[in-house]
């Protein structure tokens, strides 16, 4: 799965950009209900970010339900 790179030159934090990208992918049906998202390592590689950034984005997604 090829995911877009995030913009490291914008003032919007990378974890927030990643959270929005994941929300958009979920809403677009890239992952079906009940299907697991890729693991932290895969998401970090796909988006070109650190695992810490991935964890923060996932934490915020989980907080949103």
């Amino acid at each position: 799965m090829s995911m877009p790179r995030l913009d490291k030159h914008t003032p919007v934090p990378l974890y927030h950009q990643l959270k929005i990208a994941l929300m958009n992918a979920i809403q677009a049906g890239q992952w079906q209900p009940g299907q697991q998202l890729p693991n932290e390592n895969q998401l970090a590689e796909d988006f070109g970010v650190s695992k810490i950034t991935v964890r923060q984005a996932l934490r915020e997604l989980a907080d949103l339900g």
Side-chain angles (χ1 to χ4, degrees), residues 1-2 8 14 16-17 23 29 32 34 38 45 51 54 60:
M1 162 179 62
S2 177
K8 296 178 181 180
L14 289 174
H16 184 75
Q17 292 180 55
M23 286 173 56
Q32 299 304 312
E45 182 180 322
K51 288 192 285 185
V54 171
E60 290 202 2

Side-chain angles (χ1 to χ4, degrees), residues 3-34:
M3 299 302 280
R5 292 285 184 206
L6 304 179
D7 186 351
K8 296 178 181 180
H9 302 292
T10 182
V12 178
L14 289 174
Y15 73 86
H16 184 75
Q17 292 180 55
L18 178 56
K19 176 182 77 171
I20 298 301
L22 292 174
M23 286 173 56
N24 289 340
I26 291 167
Q27 291 171 347
Q30 191 158 353
W31 295 293
Q32 299 304 312

